[in-house]
Amino acid sequence: MEPSFRKIEYSDYHKRYFDLLSQLTVAPVCNQDDFDSFVYDLTDNHIIFVLENDQNRIIASGTVLIEQKLIRNMGKVAHIEDIVVDKESNGKGIGKKLINKLTEYAKEQGCYKVILDCRDNVVPFYEKCGFVKKESEMALYF
Amino acid sequence: MEPSFRKIEYSDYHKRYFDLLSQLTVAPVCNQDDFDSFVYDLTDNHIIFVLENDQNRIIASGTVLIEQKLIRNMGKVAHIEDIVVDKESNGKGIGKKLINKLTEYAKEQGCYKVILDCRDNVVPFYEKCGFVKKESEMALYF
């Protein structure tokens, strides 16, 4: 059966979502009001798709941030962020299906490209998803 | 005199702004209603700073897109986009001052980091601005 991704919901707060995010990076549980406020503020241009398993646990998540530009005929660019699949669900192709879901969404929204930053060890994964290596990511931490 | 960057304004449409953007990439002039609508929709989380010279021409521009995350204690990340300095104004340090302006803005807004993607030939420039090389940018074009 194909995984059925859906938009994040308020009730995901109770579905071990922060356990999943903690597999990505430091992600302490926020309080529920802040979570609700975060979900409320999401829009068509800032959206999170998740996958829930049959034990009511979120096992995959990915964000799309859509940026309206002036260049390229007022083109729109989709930034993919914070891709994570639960380590116990690795090897089932969920990651690729999640990326396909996010890129399809970006296409429906009229974006001319999708970009993301990733570590070198997952470059081959994104190449299998149709991406090509472009520029270098630079970062400045405060 | 230090350059005085300011937020983009409706009247910048008439200040050769698209000539400047065309030095960055394909940037045909949009109609003024679309430009006004674009500027109107900008927020504290999607902001463009420009520099106007004394001939009423925009000679530098840079965008900051701020993303609210759940990870890292609901951290915020600033994405720097579409940095361009007019080629006739190169060598005056305007680029570095523009990046400083954008990173200072990101700091004021409470971001924990600023990221951007750039070509290898400008990596040394961003290193001088305090950035370090991180991951690889991947792109998928529709």
Side-chain angles (χ1 to χ4, degrees):
Chain A
M1 200 179 75
E2 279 300 292
S4 184
F5 298 100
R6 61 161 171 80
K7 290 185 198 179
I8 195 170
E9 295 170 356
Y10 298 116
S11 59
D12 293 336
Y13 183 78
H14 301 290
K15 294 177 181 171
R16 300 182 63 180
Y17 186 54
F18 283 86
D19 284 355
L20 177 70
L21 293 180
S22 295
Q23 295 180 36
L24 181 68
T25 185
V26 181
V29 181
C30 66
N31 71 54
Q32 190 162 4
D33 281 353
D34 288 342
F35 184 82
D36 288 354
S37 172
F38 174 88
V39 173
Y40 180 84
D41 287 341
L42 294 173
T43 64
D44 286 348
N45 290 329
H46 185 197
I47 194 164
I48 297 179
F49 287 102
V50 298
L51 179 64
E52 182 175 349
N53 72 5
D54 49 16
Q55 284 93 47
N56 301 116
R57 182 174 168 179
I58 306 301
I59 57 164
S61 177
T63 298
V64 180
L65 189 68
I66 295 179
E67 178 197 3
Q68 173 70 60
K69 289 184 181 278
L70 283 169
I71 58 172
R72 293 186 178 271
N73 271 312
M74 302 195 77
K76 292 198 281 186
V77 171
H79 301 253
I80 286 185
E81 295 284 330
D82 302 335
I83 295 299
V84 56
V85 176
D86 181 61
K87 56 185 184 298
E88 292 174 23
S89 299
N90 274 348
K92 297 178 182 169
I94 293 173
K96 189 163 189 293
K97 286 167 185 160
L98 173 58
I99 296 300
N100 286 346
K101 172 73 181 177
L102 302 181
T103 54
E104 276 307 305
Y105 177 79
K107 198 173 178 180
E108 284 162 23
Q109 295 294 312
C111 295
Y112 70 91
K113 72 171 177 179
V114 181
I115 56 173
L116 59 87
D117 296 314
C118 70
R119 285 189 293 270
D120 284 345
N121 63 318
V122 288
V123 165
F125 165 74
Y126 285 109
E127 285 173 342
K128 276 184 218 154
C129 296
F131 285 72
V132 291
K133 200 164 169 175
K134 299 288 287 184
E135 304 188 331
S136 294
E137 183 207 18
M138 306 294 292
L140 184 155
Y141 288 79
F142 295 125
Chain B
M1 203 179 74
E2 279 299 292
S4 184
F5 298 99
R6 60 160 172 81
K7 291 185 198 177
I8 195 170
E9 295 170 357
Y10 298 115
S11 59
D12 293 336
Y13 184 79
H14 300 289
K15 293 177 180 172
R16 299 182 65 180
Y17 187 54
F18 283 87
D19 284 354
L20 177 70
L21 294 180
S22 295
Q23 294 180 36
L24 182 67
T25 185
V26 180
V29 181
C30 66
N31 71 53
Q32 189 161 5
D33 282 352
D34 288 341
F35 183 82
D36 288 354
S37 173
F38 174 88
V39 173
Y40 180 84
D41 287 340
L42 294 173
T43 64
D44 286 347
N45 290 330
H46 185 195
I47 194 164
I48 298 179
F49 287 102
V50 298
L51 179 64
E52 181 174 348
N53 72 4
D54 50 14
Q55 283 94 48
N56 302 115
R57 181 174 170 181
I58 306 300
I59 57 163
S61 176
T63 298
V64 180
L65 189 67
I66 295 180
E67 177 198 5
Q68 174 71 59
K69 290 184 182 275
L70 283 169
I71 58 171
R72 294 185 178 269
N73 271 311
M74 303 195 75
K76 293 198 281 188
V77 171
H79 301 252
I80 285 185
E81 297 282 331
D82 302 333
I83 295 299
V84 56
V85 176
D86 181 63
K87 57 185 183 299
E88 292 175 22
S89 300
N90 273 346
K92 296 178 184 170
I94 293 172
K96 190 162 189 294
K97 286 167 185 161
L98 173 59
I99 296 300
N100 286 345
K101 171 73 180 178
L102 303 181
T103 54
E104 276 305 306
Y105 177 79
K107 198 173 180 181
E108 285 162 21
Q109 295 294 311
C111 295
Y112 70 91
K113 71 172 178 180
V114 181
I115 57 174
L116 58 86
D117 296 314
C118 70
R119 285 189 294 271
D120 283 345
N121 64 317
V122 287
V123 165
F125 165 73
Y126 285 109
E127 285 174 341
K128 275 185 219 154
C129 296
F131 285 72
V132 291
K133 201 165 169 174
K134 298 288 287 183
E135 305 188 329
S136 294
E137 183 206 21
M138 306 293 294
L140 184 155
Y141 286 80
F142 295 125

